[in-house]
Amino acid sequence: MTPALAAPAAQQTLSLSEAETQKLWQLSRLAAGASEASALALSGLLLDLPKAVRTALLEFAEGSGDSGFFLLRGVTLGELPATPAVHHSGALRGHPTDGTLTLVADLLGSLVGYQDEKDGALIHDVHAVPGEEKRIENSGSVAFDFHTENVHHPLRPDYLGLLCLRQDHEGVAATRVASVREAVRHLTPEQVAVLRTPQFYSSYPTSFTRGRTGPVPRSGPHPAIFGPEDRPFMRFNSHTTHAADAEATVALKALSEALEAVCHNVVLEPGDLVVVDNHVAAHGRSAFVPRYDGRDRWLRRFYSVRSILGWTQHMMTRQRVIPTMEDIQGVL
């Protein structure tokens, strides 16, 4: 059964005016060839962003509120090729949407990639790939349950953005967003106390282990909920986070159920960009049926971090790309 669809609250959404749309498109075209340049090199373009866009995104970054997500509507997409059916097709390399996502990511923090994931790509194309329908990553089309991005990683993204280029054919696939700040209201104090203890382990996701042989490594122990009582944060992946004992396992199940109870099911339309606070809200995807006819669902994703530690920057072999887990393991 398709879940009921919840429209995001008005204060979580900015619909661009025609003038704002045109301005953002002009700046995106200028930034498109500079995704791997430093944020300093793009600072002039960031200052030229439409005031409403700058204000809304900076206010979201300063305090993402209870919902943990923000929706920007009316982004220009330009001409698009057929939806790819292979990994890393490069079909949109240098496309203005590269610039759009780079500018938004750099306004929130800094656009980054991970050397272990997709060879350090900074912009990820999210679409189904034939034969991978059941994979729990962006090449699949089955339901993808709640997760915070790169839950295993000590340098997890602070924000991620998903820009819709095409919907699925039926127009039913939802980006599912659920905030721990809303979910804790459905948990008992005892459950929250257990979830705050460092007794959880998170396996590396499949996007970080593609081609790897042997046991899947894991990170931990870590808490699933942390931070101030009135403004908690979350580190949780329903597919890969596991508990150390039976009591903690029950608490994790309760957290999953609480996230389901407060979920916002957002059906993105072409030109919609949803930005998620990765420490406040988990996200997921409802199932859809790809046809592999060049018109399938296609999103583009960015990661943004608010600050990059100095030692991390000096270890980067490529601008903006976080070093491998092997290189940084044990440092954090």
Side-chain angles (χ1 to χ4, degrees):
M1 179 183 294
T2 301
L5 301 179
Q11 67 269 23
Q12 299 165 330
T13 303
L14 173 64
S15 296
L16 296 173
S17 68
E18 183 177 348
E20 290 165 344
T21 297
Q22 292 176 355
K23 183 64 174 179
L24 179 58
W25 180 245
Q26 292 169 0
L27 296 171
S28 296
R29 293 178 66 182
L30 292 172
S35 338
E36 297 203 18
S38 68
L40 181 60
L42 297 175
S43 58
L45 299 181
L46 293 175
L47 291 172
D48 283 342
L49 284 170
K51 182 179 179 181
V53 175
R54 283 178 49 81
T55 300
L57 286 171
L58 289 175
E59 287 180 351
F60 174 78
E62 286 304 311
S64 56
D66 284 351
S67 73
F69 77 99
F70 176 82
L71 185 60
L72 182 66
R73 287 195 147 140
V75 175
T76 301
L77 302 176
E79 293 186 14
L80 298 172
T83 302
V86 296
H87 293 286
H88 315 313
S89 70
L92 288 183
R93 188 173 292 114
H95 191 266
T97 54
D98 279 352
T100 303
L101 296 178
T102 299
L103 290 171
V104 172
D106 274 1
L107 186 65
L108 295 166
S110 296
L111 175 73
V112 297
Y114 292 81
Q115 188 60 54
D116 292 313
E117 184 181 35
K118 306 181 193 311
D119 299 319
L122 298 178
I123 305 295
H124 302 166
D125 288 301
V126 180
H127 54 77
V129 172
E132 299 203 357
E133 290 82 1
K134 294 184 178 181
R135 285 185 72 94
I136 304 301
E137 59 177 284
N138 60 15
S139 60
S141 55
V142 294
F144 195 163
D145 289 337
F146 295 119
H147 62 285
T148 52
E149 203 71 29
N150 295 351
V151 65
H152 69 294
H153 207 286
L155 299 173
R156 299 179 297 285
D158 291 310
Y159 307 99
L160 64 115
L162 292 165
L163 173 63
C164 179
L165 306 186
R166 289 194 178 108
Q167 288 182 280
D168 60 297
H169 290 83
E170 288 75 26
V172 297
T175 298
R176 314 191 71 226
V177 188
S179 165
V180 67
R181 294 176 181 173
E182 296 176 335
V184 290
R185 301 165 192 162
H186 296 260
L187 298 172
T188 67
E190 293 77 17
Q191 288 169 336
V192 173
V194 171
L195 291 166
R196 283 181 171 276
T197 59
Q199 57 174 315
F200 302 96
Y201 296 85
S202 293
S203 301
Y204 290 25
T206 56
S207 60
F208 275 73
T209 58
R210 186 178 287 270
R212 178 191 286 264
T213 58
V216 176
R218 65 179 188 172
S219 296
H222 64 79
I225 293 177
F226 60 98
E229 288 188 11
D230 61 336
R231 295 181 64 76
F233 302 108
M234 175 170 51
R235 183 178 181 182
F236 170 69
N237 184 322
S238 59
H239 297 282
T240 67
T241 301
H242 305 284
D245 61 28
E247 182 185 35
T249 298
V250 171
L252 271 188
K253 184 174 185 295
L255 175 58
S256 290
E257 292 171 349
L259 291 169
E260 187 66 42
V262 301
C263 174
H264 297 263
N265 291 292
V266 184
V267 177
L268 297 174
E269 299 177 359
D272 286 351
L273 170 61
V274 63
V275 178
V276 179
D277 185 323
N278 192 46
H279 305 302
V280 172
H283 66 286
R285 173 193 68 221
S286 64
F288 66 98
V289 180
R291 299 182 187 177
Y292 304 120
D293 59 356
R295 304 296 300 174
D296 276 325
R297 183 177 188 259
W298 188 3
L299 309 181
R300 306 201 82 198
R301 180 177 68 192
F302 73 74
Y303 297 145
S304 177
V305 296
R306 296 217 54 179
S307 63
I308 301 175
L309 298 170
W311 61 264
T312 307
Q313 295 184 51
H314 289 297
M315 288 178 65
M316 290 179 177
T317 57
R318 289 170 51 198
Q319 182 101 315
R320 295 181 181 267
V321 179
I322 303 295
T324 67
M325 284 289 288
E326 183 179 16
D327 287 337
I328 66 174
Q329 202 158 33
V331 179
L332 284 176

